[in-house]
Amino acid sequence: MGMKTFDQLDETLHFEELENGLKVYVLEKKGFNKTYATFTTHYGSVDNHFKPLGKNEEVKVPDGIAHFLEHKLFEKEHGDVFQDFSKQGASANAFTTFNRTAYLFSTTGDVKKNLTTLINFVQEPYFTEKTVEKEKGIIGQEIRMYDDNPDWRVYFGLIENMYHHHPVKIDIAGTEKSIAKITKDTLYECYETFYHPSNMILFVVGPVNAQDILNFVKENQSQKSFKEKAPIERFFEDEPPIVAKTEKVIEMTVQTPKCYIGFKEAAPKRKGKELMRHELCVNLALEMMFGKSSPNYEALYEEGLIDQTFSFDYTEENGFGFSMLGGDTQSPDDLVKRVSNMVEAFKQENISTDSFERARKKKIGAFLRSLNSPEFIANQFTRYAFNEMDLFDVIPVFESLQASDVEEVLQSHFKKEAMTVCQVRKKKS
Amino acid sequence: MGIVNHEQTDLHGITVHTIETKKYKTTSFILQIKAAINEKNVTKRALLSYVLQSGTKDFPSSKELRSALDDLYGATLHADLSKKGENQVISIRMEVANEKFLSKSEPVLDKAFHLLSQVLLAPALDNGVFKENIVKKEKRSLKQQIESIYDDKMRYANKRLLEEMYESEPYHLNVYGNENEVDGITSKELFDYYLEVINNDKLDLYVIGDISTNEMIEKVKKHFRFPENRNETLVTDDQNREEKKISEVKEIFEEQDVQQGKLHMGYRTYTTYSDEDYFALQVFNGVYGGFSHSKLFINVREKESLAYYAASRFESHKGAVFVMSGIETGNYEKAVKIIKEQHEEIKNGNITDAEFEQTKAMINNQVLETIDHPIGLSEVLYHNVVAGKNRTIEEWMEGIRNVTKEDVVKVAKKVTLDTIFFLKGAGTNGNENI
């Protein structure tokens, strides 16, 4: 068993990589009632072109299949696994992102019993033609729910604008048409390839004994046999650095238009500390340019171009990366003009140490705040680990940054040719 | 000491609730400001919550106030509005890093205390009233907030349901007020209303973190100076007011260009937080639609594939249960029929032991999880203030434990459908324009 202590944060993380390749992490949280566990595979909506385990031919699978698989794993011959959890006083859930599929539960009751249920249901797939067909109706309604959601549409519209080929531009749930093509055989093929323990992380956080949990998981895994672990071959087409489309307008039944501006990262190939530094730097740059205490935010708010929905973020994973900023606005075109001028002007200025320090303090405080949340810790730790980063490095990395690092990303990331805009506008009747 | 170490101290004009715990890396302040919701003040009160968080005497603009917060290691400050029964509650929340986790130890706690007190008691003024330019900006933000409800179809359908169901009761009011009243409010009117709030509203401050109660009491005394004439109006909930009896179910249809129909149903329960059968109502809601093992989820989603979500929730102080589901417009009759049937099942006592025990375990789990979070904890405790009760978390859990199936059947028979609101879809929403 390994152990890593973060004195400054008063946290100790226990971990072990099992023989089958599964990585297990346990963080003891004294004083909490709840234990939260996630079992996550490094497999999401972008992994649609790959070489199935043990085969020589590469395949392309229907859009939305990772999310479909997530739904279907809950169904077993004996019924629905949700029910098993709730009988054991736990609430279970799952979600699919671009790069990950996570299965999780939280409980204030018996942790080991629920942990067994979690591990076993994810490792024992049961797909039949009949249950696959039935799910298409439910997911169809989920897709429609998102179709009616203007925030989701503008977010995805922006990503679509950025990418020529990268599958990050495909809606995570797919379309009603694409999921119609999913069969039990394609589900098994994806499952066999991506749900090997060596492609997965189990994270447990709560008022538990770490050693006890690690032994328990080891015991569970030692009773199962898995194929030899093999590296997964995924295929992505080359993605040009410039955006595919500079603007898009979606008409919907809304009263307030929405407008988001995005910048596409030209070379999103970083990993580990380098990726963390870059992510934190771009986020600091955004904070300094458009944070609530910035002159730009004040001006935009005063001019009535933004309201409290205004937000921004930068995210990067292997193969894609982008920043986005925006929100509800009555004058989307004016907002775009103002924001792009503000970015250009900011690039010309020298960064003041004061505003750099302030932004950094704010970010460190926000990070400490998120550590109150077991959900945040488990989910973010896993995301970081899949990208070879360590969540608990965030504060030291923040502290190691200089104003000049931010100046650098301002020039390299916020380029005119990397900018794109997506708006949701009121439908003309 | 119980699950939660909650101490309550009444000071002049404010009740201080302290919860000492080492669980968190931050200290949280939650200030609850409560008054009855009414037509006359609803919009002013909403606007006030926006204005208060936009500047103080020392930091008279949003930018200056936000800079001060950033300097306190990104302390957060939010003012929110919520309807708890027929009250319109302003919650001002602040969260600040615990200094012991910072590399350079800085005295952020006292500064945070001061700042919070200033937000409430020393707003940014010009000529004795709120600064005109702040009021103007925040009016725009509030209007946009009200409008945005329309854009989120689930929230819109919920709002419409309440308007129809509680047509002649204050509960129909939207917590953000009425859009057409916003522009007419002057800085002077808003400031006069603010003085009423400071003089009369019920104030409760929760402080949660690695703190000492005595120290917090001293800090409140030091920083929160109230006017001499402050006099809390004791508006306990109007518990005695008879809830409306229902003669027939109101059915309201509206059509919009959306892909998915939004079905919302409102029930009166004639049971609120302070009643004995409140726990039975919780279990009823859990069996009906509160969880993924509930009858609505199993029957509407799993058996019939009619929806992605089909759930119910309850409002503790108004005593209502609301059902919501997103369905194909053509499946309206079928969905409503199934939803009604599930209610009948419970009335007839068709609750399996598994369902029943599962529900209780889940409710127990839910409350324990909720109090792991500082805001969740303060909300659970604040129910007591709103209802004028004094229930500990242990009593609450015991209450759930003691509920019998007969209790659930009894409460299910009281639960009565009042209004159905259905937002029908026309189905071409969101076509892209290239």
Side-chain angles (χ1 to χ4, degrees), chain B residues 59-74:
Chain B
F59 305 107
S61 71
S62 196
K63 178 173 172 284
E64 287 161 288
L65 179 57
R66 292 291 149 188
S67 299
L69 289 162
D70 289 358
D71 286 335
L72 287 177
Y73 274 89

Side-chain angles (χ1 to χ4, degrees), chain B residues 265 267 284 287-289 293-301 303-304 310 323 334-351 355 408 412:
Chain B
M265 298 165 73
Y267 296 76
F284 164 80
V287 172
Y288 193 35
H293 70 267
S294 305
K295 289 186 185 291
L296 293 182
F297 189 88
I298 297 292
N299 290 285
V300 180
R301 171 171 152 145
K303 289 207 179 134
E304 299 288 340
V323 167
K334 196 171 171 190
V336 169
K337 182 165 164 273
I338 297 171
I339 292 167
K340 285 180 174 168
E341 277 166 5
Q342 302 317 308
H343 183 198
E344 289 304 314
E345 287 287 297
I346 304 177
K347 283 201 223 171
N348 295 330
N350 290 329
I351 307 165
E355 260 179 313
V408 175

